[in-house]
């Protein structure tokens, strides 16, 4: 699926999972990788990497990036924030707004800007969500709401873009070993393995890729006994 004809665009490419998407795309032979970040900084030294400045909450910035990267065949909407905020926490309204701005509206803005070129090239889009798009963890309730909104967005985009030959994949990993989960003490996925799993899933037909034991376990639990799985999560401190 990834070869020298692949021109990928990765948001949030300066660190964490995004940096590993760039590395794994290069290792798989992608022809060009636009590595987009707010600070226009990437550590990888490879002639195929094109650094791009991008804040996905900024209309002009997104439009400019899409114009610059008009040959994109694979858009990876990876940028995201998690304020680790419960709904009744003092500053939750600000946290919830920031999470929706990036995780939902940012992804929507990117999808709208890149859709024409993906349609032209019968390309693909990976939206990096989280297994928390499917369940609520009260300690980060507004993050879950923003990822759930992004999952609905992804489903609608699939319906709109699918008839044009564009594959739209939701990646739903469990906890990953990046800055975002630095305080989580349970088992965490390796970011390079997570990127590989999402790229591998492009070759299949499924609309959702559950990545890692945590995501698989929760997805299975939801399929078998939705109420019990929700109850278990809702009682997690
Ligand atoms: N870590 C986990 O446990 C976990 C689990 C499931 C899903 N995910 C998802 O995986 C994706 C990558 O997260 P990560 O774990 O790599 O976290 P991370 O290390 O905190 O990286 C987040 C990335 O998103 C970028 N970003 C944030 N707001 C942005 C904006 N407005 N415009 C452009 N870029 C922006 C950050 O840029 P700056 O460096 O400029 O801040 C950074 O590059 C996210 O969508 C996250 O929700 C993570």
């Amino acid at each position: 699926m990834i070869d020298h004809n692949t021109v990928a665009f990765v948001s949030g490419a300066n660190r964490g999972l995004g940096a590993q998407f760039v590395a794994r795309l290069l290792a798989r032979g992608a022809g060009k990788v636009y590595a987009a970040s707010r600070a226009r900084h990437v550590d990888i030294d490879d002639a195929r990497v094109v650094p791009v400045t991008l804040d996905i909450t900024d209309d002009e910035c997104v439009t400019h990036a899409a114009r610059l990267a008009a040959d994109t065949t694979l858009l990876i909407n990876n940028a995201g924030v998690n304020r680790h905020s419960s709904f009744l926490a003092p500053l939750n309204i600000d946290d919830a707004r920031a999470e929706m701005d990036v995780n939902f509206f940012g992804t929507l803005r990117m999808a709208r800007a890149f859709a024409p070129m993906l349609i032209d090239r019968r390309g693909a889009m990976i939206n990096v969500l989280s297994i928390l798009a499917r369940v609520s963890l009260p300690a980060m309730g507004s993050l879950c709401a923003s990822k759930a909104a992004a999952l609905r967005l992804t489903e609608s985009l699939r319906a709109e873009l699918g008839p044009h030959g564009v594959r739209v994949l939701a990646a739903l990993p469990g906890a990953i070993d990046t800055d975002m989960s630095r305080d989580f003490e349970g088992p965490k996925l390796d970011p390079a393995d997570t990127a590989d799993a999402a790229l591998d899933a492009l070759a299949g037909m499924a609309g959702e890729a559950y990545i890692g034991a945590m995501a698989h376990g929760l997805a299975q639990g939801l399929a078998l006994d939705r109420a019990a799985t929700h109850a278990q999560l809702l009682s997690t401190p």
Side-chain angles (χ1 to χ4, degrees):
M1 184 81 193
I2 307 296
D3 60 23
H4 67 281
N5 292 315
T6 303
V7 178
F9 188 105
V10 182
S11 65
N14 53 314
R15 61 189 173 102
L17 181 59
Q20 291 305 319
F21 265 118
V22 175
R24 297 311 302 153
L25 284 159
L26 295 171
R28 286 167 179 242
K32 193 194 281 188
V33 181
Y34 292 103
S37 65
R38 289 191 280 198
R40 200 171 179 275
H41 171 83
V42 271
D43 271 336
I44 298 172
D45 183 18
D46 187 302
R48 293 170 292 164
V49 175
V50 182
V52 177
T53 306
L54 177 73
D55 182 333
I56 63 169
T57 65
D58 182 320
D59 273 328
E60 249 180 66
C61 199
V62 169
T63 304
H64 183 259
R67 218 174 278 135
L68 190 107
D71 53 350
T72 297
T73 63
L74 170 61
L75 171 64
I76 303 184
N77 284 313
N78 163 79
V81 288
N82 182 353
R83 295 286 186 91
H84 299 89
S85 178
S86 65
F87 281 118
L88 297 184
L91 297 177
N92 179 268
I93 293 292
D94 293 338
D95 290 332
R97 191 172 286 120
E99 288 164 337
M100 285 299 283
D101 268 355
V102 177
N103 300 340
F104 175 70
F105 286 109
T107 304
L108 170 59
R109 193 175 280 111
M110 288 293 291
R112 288 174 57 88
F114 281 76
M117 66 192 85
L118 295 181
I119 290 171
D120 275 355
R121 293 173 174 72
R122 298 176 75 81
M125 180 190 308
I126 300 177
N127 289 344
V128 180
L129 308 179
S130 163
I131 187 56
L132 295 178
R134 299 274 328 271
V135 281
S136 268
L137 192 60
M140 42 182 93
S142 51
L143 175 276
C144 299
S146 71
K147 291 291 188 180
L151 178 56
R152 293 288 96 79
L153 163 67
T154 306
E155 291 162 354
S156 295
L157 288 171
R158 185 177 304 124
E160 287 195 66
L161 291 170
H164 298 283
V166 179
R167 171 143 170 70
V168 178
L169 177 72
L172 297 104
I176 311 166
D177 194 5
T178 65
D179 293 342
M180 190 177 280
S181 282
R182 93 170 62 83
D183 296 329
F184 177 68
E185 285 173 1
K188 289 183 258 194
L189 293 162
D190 176 79
D193 292 347
T194 309
D196 268 330
L199 295 173
D200 285 345
L202 272 182
M205 299 294 287
E208 293 171 3
Y210 292 92
I211 302 174
M214 182 192 287
H216 279 286
L218 283 169
Q220 213 168 19
L222 288 169
L224 290 173
D225 190 340
R226 190 176 174 77
T229 306
H230 272 287
Q232 184 195 335
L233 264 286
L234 292 175
S235 63
T236 304

PDB file of all heavy atoms in Angstrom, residues 190-211:
ATOM      1  N   ASP A 190       4.146   0.879  21.928  1.00  0.00           N
ATOM      2  CA  ASP A 190       5.289   1.536  21.324  1.00  0.00           C
ATOM      3  C   ASP A 190       4.768   2.397  20.160  1.00  0.00           C
ATOM      4  O   ASP A 190       3.991   1.908  19.328  1.00  0.00           O
ATOM      5  CB  ASP A 190       6.250   0.447  20.814  1.00  0.00           C
ATOM      6  CG  ASP A 190       7.424   1.052  20.094  1.00  0.00           C
ATOM      7  OD1 ASP A 190       8.343   1.515  20.765  1.00  0.00           O
ATOM      8  OD2 ASP A 190       7.393   1.078  18.840  1.00  0.00           O
ATOM      9  N   PRO A 191       5.168   3.680  20.083  1.00  0.00           N
ATOM     10  CA  PRO A 191       4.622   4.545  19.010  1.00  0.00           C
ATOM     11  C   PRO A 191       4.948   4.049  17.600  1.00  0.00           C
ATOM     12  O   PRO A 191       4.099   4.185  16.700  1.00  0.00           O
ATOM     13  CB  PRO A 191       5.260   5.911  19.271  1.00  0.00           C
ATOM     14  CG  PRO A 191       5.924   5.834  20.588  1.00  0.00           C
ATOM     15  CD  PRO A 191       6.006   4.419  21.050  1.00  0.00           C
ATOM     16  N   ALA A 192       6.129   3.479  17.400  1.00  0.00           N
ATOM     17  CA  ALA A 192       6.465   2.977  16.048  1.00  0.00           C
ATOM     18  C   ALA A 192       5.552   1.797  15.685  1.00  0.00           C
ATOM     19  O   ALA A 192       5.052   1.712  14.554  1.00  0.00           O
ATOM     20  CB  ALA A 192       7.934   2.552  15.989  1.00  0.00           C
ATOM     21  N   ASP A 193       5.316   0.898  16.661  1.00  0.00           N
ATOM     22  CA  ASP A 193       4.414  -0.237  16.401  1.00  0.00           C
ATOM     23  C   ASP A 193       2.992   0.257  16.121  1.00  0.00           C
ATOM     24  O   ASP A 193       2.271  -0.322  15.297  1.00  0.00           O
ATOM     25  CB  ASP A 193       4.369  -1.182  17.621  1.00  0.00           C
ATOM     26  CG  ASP A 193       5.695  -1.903  17.848  1.00  0.00           C
ATOM     27  OD1 ASP A 193       6.554  -1.867  16.941  1.00  0.00           O
ATOM     28  OD2 ASP A 193       5.873  -2.470  18.942  1.00  0.00           O
ATOM     29  N   THR A 194       2.601   1.320  16.817  1.00  0.00           N
ATOM     30  CA  THR A 194       1.251   1.877  16.625  1.00  0.00           C
ATOM     31  C   THR A 194       1.110   2.435  15.206  1.00  0.00           C
ATOM     32  O   THR A 194       0.108   2.183  14.524  1.00  0.00           O
ATOM     33  CB  THR A 194       0.976   2.991  17.659  1.00  0.00           C
ATOM     34  OG1 THR A 194       1.276   2.489  18.953  1.00  0.00           O
ATOM     35  CG2 THR A 194      -0.465   3.459  17.604  1.00  0.00           C
ATOM     36  N   ALA A 195       2.128   3.171  14.772  1.00  0.00           N
ATOM     37  CA  ALA A 195       2.096   3.720  13.404  1.00  0.00           C
ATOM     38  C   ALA A 195       2.058   2.582  12.389  1.00  0.00           C
ATOM     39  O   ALA A 195       1.277   2.620  11.421  1.00  0.00           O
ATOM     40  CB  ALA A 195       3.326   4.606  13.176  1.00  0.00           C
ATOM     41  N   ASP A 196       2.880   1.547  12.611  1.00  0.00           N
ATOM     42  CA  ASP A 196       2.895   0.396  11.695  1.00  0.00           C
ATOM     43  C   ASP A 196       1.520  -0.271  11.622  1.00  0.00           C
ATOM     44  O   ASP A 196       1.051  -0.625  10.531  1.00  0.00           O
ATOM     45  CB  ASP A 196       3.939  -0.638  12.158  1.00  0.00           C
ATOM     46  CG  ASP A 196       5.294  -0.403  11.499  1.00  0.00           C
ATOM     47  OD1 ASP A 196       5.325   0.106  10.355  1.00  0.00           O
ATOM     48  OD2 ASP A 196       6.315  -0.710  12.132  1.00  0.00           O
ATOM     49  N   ALA A 197       0.901  -0.439  12.796  1.00  0.00           N
ATOM     50  CA  ALA A 197      -0.411  -1.104  12.820  1.00  0.00           C
ATOM     51  C   ALA A 197      -1.440  -0.294  12.025  1.00  0.00           C
ATOM     52  O   ALA A 197      -2.257  -0.861  11.286  1.00  0.00           O
ATOM     53  CB  ALA A 197      -0.878  -1.299  14.260  1.00  0.00           C
ATOM     54  N   ALA A 198      -1.406   1.015  12.161  1.00  0.00           N
ATOM     55  CA  ALA A 198      -2.358   1.855  11.418  1.00  0.00           C
ATOM     56  C   ALA A 198      -2.080   1.773   9.911  1.00  0.00           C
ATOM     57  O   ALA A 198      -3.019   1.666   9.107  1.00  0.00           O
ATOM     58  CB  ALA A 198      -2.271   3.301  11.911  1.00  0.00           C
ATOM     59  N   LEU A 199      -0.818   1.809   9.524  1.00  0.00           N
ATOM     60  CA  LEU A 199      -0.472   1.731   8.091  1.00  0.00           C
ATOM     61  C   LEU A 199      -0.824   0.359   7.524  1.00  0.00           C
ATOM     62  O   LEU A 199      -1.334   0.258   6.408  1.00  0.00           O
ATOM     63  CB  LEU A 199       1.012   2.048   7.887  1.00  0.00           C
ATOM     64  CG  LEU A 199       1.433   3.484   8.250  1.00  0.00           C
ATOM     65  CD1 LEU A 199       2.948   3.641   8.177  1.00  0.00           C
ATOM     66  CD2 LEU A 199       0.750   4.512   7.337  1.00  0.00           C
ATOM     67  N   ASP A 200      -0.590  -0.696   8.319  1.00  0.00           N
ATOM     68  CA  ASP A 200      -0.964  -2.047   7.876  1.00  0.00           C
ATOM     69  C   ASP A 200      -2.474  -2.128   7.624  1.00  0.00           C
ATOM     70  O   ASP A 200      -2.920  -2.788   6.676  1.00  0.00           O
ATOM     71  CB  ASP A 200      -0.598  -3.097   8.947  1.00  0.00           C
ATOM     72  CG  ASP A 200       0.903  -3.381   8.994  1.00  0.00           C
ATOM     73  OD1 ASP A 200       1.608  -2.992   8.036  1.00  0.00           O
ATOM     74  OD2 ASP A 200       1.351  -3.966  10.004  1.00  0.00           O
ATOM     75  N   ALA A 201      -3.238  -1.463   8.505  1.00  0.00           N
ATOM     76  CA  ALA A 201      -4.705  -1.565   8.416  1.00  0.00           C
ATOM     77  C   ALA A 201      -5.250  -0.944   7.131  1.00  0.00           C
ATOM     78  O   ALA A 201      -6.360  -1.275   6.691  1.00  0.00           O
ATOM     79  CB  ALA A 201      -5.348  -0.907   9.640  1.00  0.00           C
ATOM     80  N   LEU A 202      -4.465  -0.062   6.515  1.00  0.00           N
ATOM     81  CA  LEU A 202      -4.910   0.554   5.248  1.00  0.00           C
ATOM     82  C   LEU A 202      -5.160  -0.497   4.171  1.00  0.00           C
ATOM     83  O   LEU A 202      -6.011  -0.319   3.303  1.00  0.00           O
ATOM     84  CB  LEU A 202      -3.832   1.515   4.732  1.00  0.00           C
ATOM     85  CG  LEU A 202      -3.856   2.960   5.199  1.00  0.00           C
ATOM     86  CD1 LEU A 202      -2.722   3.702   4.524  1.00  0.00           C
ATOM     87  CD2 LEU A 202      -5.204   3.625   4.903  1.00  0.00           C
ATOM     88  N   ALA A 203      -4.379  -1.588   4.247  1.00  0.00           N
ATOM     89  CA  ALA A 203      -4.485  -2.631   3.212  1.00  0.00           C
ATOM     90  C   ALA A 203      -5.782  -3.433   3.336  1.00  0.00           C
ATOM     91  O   ALA A 203      -6.215  -4.060   2.375  1.00  0.00           O
ATOM     92  CB  ALA A 203      -3.282  -3.567   3.299  1.00  0.00           C
ATOM     93  N   GLY A 204      -6.389  -3.428   4.535  1.00  0.00           N
ATOM     94  CA  GLY A 204      -7.616  -4.210   4.734  1.00  0.00           C
ATOM     95  C   GLY A 204      -8.860  -3.437   4.314  1.00  0.00           C
ATOM     96  O   GLY A 204      -8.772  -2.398   3.652  1.00  0.00           O
ATOM     97  N   MET A 205     -10.005  -3.966   4.707  1.00  0.00           N
ATOM     98  CA  MET A 205     -11.279  -3.357   4.318  1.00  0.00           C
ATOM     99  C   MET A 205     -11.968  -2.664   5.500  1.00  0.00           C
ATOM    100  O   MET A 205     -12.893  -1.878   5.303  1.00  0.00           O
ATOM    101  CB  MET A 205     -12.238  -4.438   3.784  1.00  0.00           C
ATOM    102  CG  MET A 205     -11.739  -5.163   2.553  1.00  0.00           C
ATOM    103  SD  MET A 205     -11.636  -4.058   1.150  1.00  0.00           S
ATOM    104  CE  MET A 205     -13.380  -3.851   0.777  1.00  0.00           C
ATOM    105  N   ALA A 206     -11.530  -2.979   6.739  1.00  0.00           N
ATOM    106  CA  ALA A 206     -12.234  -2.473   7.922  1.00  0.00           C
ATOM    107  C   ALA A 206     -12.138  -0.953   8.006  1.00  0.00           C
ATOM    108  O   ALA A 206     -11.129  -0.362   7.632  1.00  0.00           O
ATOM    109  CB  ALA A 206     -11.654  -3.112   9.178  1.00  0.00           C
ATOM    110  N   GLY A 207     -13.191  -0.343   8.502  1.00  0.00           N
ATOM    111  CA  GLY A 207     -13.193   1.111   8.670  1.00  0.00           C
ATOM    112  C   GLY A 207     -12.510   1.547   9.951  1.00  0.00           C
ATOM    113  O   GLY A 207     -12.100   2.698  10.089  1.00  0.00           O
ATOM    114  N   GLU A 208     -12.412   0.620  10.911  1.00  0.00           N
ATOM    115  CA  GLU A 208     -11.808   0.951  12.203  1.00  0.00           C
ATOM    116  C   GLU A 208     -10.669  -0.008  12.489  1.00  0.00           C
ATOM    117  O   GLU A 208     -10.824  -1.221  12.331  1.00  0.00           O
ATOM    118  CB  GLU A 208     -12.859   0.847  13.326  1.00  0.00           C
ATOM    119  CG  GLU A 208     -13.937   1.905  13.187  1.00  0.00           C
ATOM    120  CD  GLU A 208     -15.101   1.702  14.149  1.00  0.00           C
ATOM    121  OE1 GLU A 208     -15.049   0.770  14.975  1.00  0.00           O
ATOM    122  OE2 GLU A 208     -16.057   2.492  14.047  1.00  0.00           O
ATOM    123  N   ALA A 209      -9.537   0.532  12.918  1.00  0.00           N
ATOM    124  CA  ALA A 209      -8.401  -0.315  13.301  1.00  0.00           C
ATOM    125  C   ALA A 209      -8.197  -0.173  14.803  1.00  0.00           C
ATOM    126  O   ALA A 209      -7.835   0.907  15.285  1.00  0.00           O
ATOM    127  CB  ALA A 209      -7.147   0.119  12.553  1.00  0.00           C
ATOM    128  N   TYR A 210      -8.468  -1.255  15.539  1.00  0.00           N
ATOM    129  CA  TYR A 210      -8.229  -1.256  16.980  1.00  0.00           C
ATOM    130  C   TYR A 210      -6.787  -1.679  17.186  1.00  0.00           C
ATOM    131  O   TYR A 210      -6.363  -2.718  16.660  1.00  0.00           O
ATOM    132  CB  TYR A 210      -9.202  -2.209  17.674  1.00  0.00           C
ATOM    133  CG  TYR A 210     -10.614  -1.674  17.588  1.00  0.00           C
ATOM    134  CD1 TYR A 210     -11.458  -2.042  16.533  1.00  0.00           C
ATOM    135  CD2 TYR A 210     -11.075  -0.744  18.505  1.00  0.00           C
ATOM    136  CE1 TYR A 210     -12.726  -1.508  16.417  1.00  0.00           C
ATOM    137  CE2 TYR A 210     -12.349  -0.208  18.401  1.00  0.00           C
ATOM    138  CZ  TYR A 210     -13.162  -0.592  17.354  1.00  0.00           C
ATOM    139  OH  TYR A 210     -14.417  -0.047  17.241  1.00  0.00           O
ATOM    140  N   ILE A 211      -6.038  -0.861  17.921  1.00  0.00           N
ATOM    141  CA  ILE A 211      -4.596  -1.104  18.013  1.00  0.00           C
ATOM    142  C   ILE A 211      -4.192  -1.361  19.465  1.00  0.00           C
ATOM    143  O   ILE A 211      -4.408  -0.510  20.344  1.00  0.00           O
ATOM    144  CB  ILE A 211      -3.807   0.092  17.427  1.00  0.00           C
ATOM    145  CG1 ILE A 211      -4.222   0.323  15.961  1.00  0.00           C
ATOM    146  CG2 ILE A 211      -2.299  -0.167  17.520  1.00  0.00           C
ATOM    147  CD1 ILE A 211      -3.617   1.553  15.308  1.00  0.00           C
TER     148      ILE A 211
END
